[in-house]
Amino acid sequence: MFCVAPPESEAKMNITKGGLVLFSANSNSSCMELSKKIAERLGVEMGKVQVYQEPDRETRVQIQESVRGKDVFIIQTVSKDVNTTIMELLIMVYACKTSCAKSIIGVVPYFPYSKQCKMRKRGSIVSKLLASMMCKAGLTHLITMDLHQKEIQGFFNIPVDNLRASPFLLQYIQEEIPDYRNAVIVAKSPASAKRAQSFAERLRLGIAVIHGEAQDAESDLVDGRHSPPMVRSAAAIHPSLEIPMLIPKEKPPITVVGDVGGRTAVIVDDIIDDVDSFLAAAETLKERGAYKIFVMATHGLLSSDAPRLIEESAIDEVVVTNTIPHEIQKLQCPKIKTVDISMILSEAIRRIHNGESMSYLFRNIGLDD
């Protein structure tokens, strides 16, 4: 009797079983850097596909290799033209579905329209619409990172893996911020206090919360629809019945709950797009005696003239991950630094393809993280 040696363990990052195809759905070459890093870590080549815009601005996708019976992973990083980005992803997913792919997994590190996940006045929950479109197109699984609201996972009727970038940002704080033990984690508003608390508890640092800043549209928690009040009439409502009115909110003057004097302040959030609120927080912290100010965020949208405003501000450094390409912004503002998260995305792809548990990637993550 001959004994056949068991195959080597496939725990290494660059070893995958056959039948995996990796596509980048971006027509913008600057958005393909993350895809190339993931492919390099997995030890596979990028799949052959053409994604381009017709003269009439229609998106066209041409898959140039067989995907029949294979696990297809489509990596899509959001460009400045977010609507074109969405159409590229949807069309490629549908093309793989009609080409008889075994499974179609979307790797979308930043989920677009995630800030529109609540009903406001007569608006709509756009992230729910986008989730439905992705599922209808043929997506069978989604890998994303740090959703703006974790409840967005419930908009999908497919599995969603919401990975976390906090381990990489925590590592950056420990290795790159001098004397980080003298730092304090800051929430620029009460809404981001949970995230700040999570960072502070893991680093064994103190926490400070800025309260009373001007309320922006994103923090407006108006739910439902505003209609003009009904004209009081005996037919409409009994004269003796009056519906109590909700007392309007009035924010107090800006205060900082916590001690930041003579210490390094680290502001944490999930998205940095319009930087006005971060600049106001930095000015407040400087007035309270903060020594240095760092801003840490997962998704660096950095729209409009954000790089110029950051360069001219009291902020010493802005640290974001490469879920969104921002090489141009880095050239405009040397204060912007990047943390690479391709490692966790490639490991998630490898585990899903090999049918392994994903729990390793969610170690020590609680409900509030």
Side-chain angles (χ1 to χ4, degrees):
M1 176 180 289
F2 294 95
C3 294
V4 180
E8 293 183 6
S9 172
E10 294 185 348
K12 292 183 179 180
M13 183 70 71
N14 61 350
I15 298 178
T16 59
K17 298 190 295 185
L20 179 147
V21 181
L22 203 63
F23 286 133
S24 175
N26 283 110
S27 58
N28 189 342
S29 58
S30 65
C31 296
M32 296 181 64
E33 293 302 319
L34 181 61
S35 303
K36 293 176 181 177
K37 289 182 179 181
I38 293 173
E40 183 179 349
R41 288 184 179 276
L42 289 169
V44 299
E45 294 183 358
M46 293 297 301
K48 298 180 177 64
V49 63
Q50 278 190 336
V51 183
Y52 57 94
Q53 308 297 317
E54 296 279 12
D56 60 357
R57 299 301 297 164
E58 287 187 0
T59 300
R60 185 174 292 273
V61 174
Q62 295 285 348
I63 297 175
Q64 299 177 322
E65 63 178 87
S66 174
V67 296
R68 182 179 295 272
K70 296 182 180 180
D71 293 332
V72 178
F73 292 84
I74 301 175
I75 304 170
Q76 181 67 316
T77 50
V78 177
S79 65
K80 294 300 179 185
D81 189 354
V82 63
N83 295 323
T84 298
T85 299
I86 292 170
M87 287 306 301
E88 290 171 346
L89 176 62
L90 294 175
I91 294 173
M92 182 171 287
V93 168
Y94 188 65
C96 292
K97 178 183 177 180
T98 55
S99 299
C100 302
K102 177 184 176 183
S103 61
I104 307 168
I105 299 93
V107 183
V108 187
Y110 171 67
F111 187 74
Y113 284 99
S114 61
K115 290 192 285 186
Q116 298 189 46
C117 61
K118 295 179 181 178
M119 178 66 74
R120 291 189 175 88
K121 298 185 180 180
R122 291 183 177 88
S124 61
I125 306 176
V126 183
S127 54
K128 166 62 177 174
L129 171 64
L130 183 55
S132 301
M133 292 167 64
M134 288 182 175
C135 296
K136 188 67 175 178
L139 205 67
T140 60
H141 198 135
L142 177 68
I143 301 172
T144 186
M145 180 166 283
D146 280 338
L147 289 170
H148 188 56
Q149 297 288 341
K150 295 189 291 295
E151 292 76 12
I152 293 176
Q153 296 176 79
F155 295 162
F156 292 85
N157 55 13
I158 58 175
V160 177
D161 287 312
N162 182 27
L163 303 176
R164 305 297 197 275
S166 51
F168 299 91
L169 298 177
L170 290 168
Q171 184 180 29
Y172 185 94
I173 293 174
Q174 292 174 315
E175 296 179 356
E176 302 296 333
I177 296 182
D179 192 22
Y180 82 93
R181 291 292 183 187
N182 190 39
V184 59
I185 306 299
V186 179
K188 68 180 180 67
S189 68
S192 56
K194 282 188 176 181
R195 178 180 294 269
Q197 181 181 359
S198 175
F199 273 68
E201 289 177 351
R202 283 170 167 78
L203 294 170
R204 278 65 173 173
L205 298 177
I207 183 173
V209 180
I210 299 176
H211 179 56
E213 79 279 9
Q215 190 172 1
D216 55 22
E218 179 56 25
S219 63
D220 181 12
L221 298 180
V222 174
D223 192 10
R225 297 164 176 80
H226 282 185
S227 298
M230 295 187 301
V231 178
R232 177 178 290 185
S233 66
I237 189 169
H238 193 278
S240 64
L241 297 178
E242 288 192 13
I243 300 174
M245 298 295 292
L246 190 64
I247 300 173
K249 293 181 180 179
E250 183 177 343
K251 289 211 168 189
I254 294 178
T255 57
V256 179
V257 182
D259 181 22
V260 298
R263 306 172 73 178
T264 300
V266 182
I267 306 172
V268 297
D269 212 334
D270 62 330
I271 299 173
I272 176 169
D273 184 8
D274 182 9
V275 298
D276 290 343
S277 60
F278 290 92
L279 301 183
E283 290 295 335
T284 301
L285 293 172
K286 277 293 185 182
E287 292 174 1
R288 299 301 193 279
Y291 173 58
K292 284 188 175 182
I293 300 174
F294 291 78
V295 174
M296 315 284 291
T298 302
H299 310 295
L301 275 67
L302 300 171
S303 301
S304 188
D305 56 350
R308 179 184 61 82
L309 294 174
I310 292 172
E311 184 66 24
E312 298 172 355
S313 72
I315 298 173
D316 292 280
E317 196 168 284
V318 174
V319 183
V320 292
T321 71
N322 56 345
T323 55
I324 298 172
H326 46 262
E327 294 304 317
I328 296 177
Q329 290 89 331
K330 288 176 67 176
L331 293 175
Q332 298 171 342
C333 177
K335 291 183 179 180
I336 301 173
K337 309 296 180 183
T338 306
V339 175
D340 181 25
I341 44 83
S342 62
M343 177 185 297
I344 192 171
L345 293 175
S346 56
E347 177 64 9
I349 292 173
R350 189 193 68 80
R351 285 177 175 271
I352 290 174
H353 176 59
N354 291 342
E356 299 177 17
S357 172
M358 294 286 286
S359 61
Y360 177 80
L361 303 180
F362 294 94
R363 293 169 300 167
N364 302 324
I365 292 178
L367 293 175
D368 293 333
D369 291 330

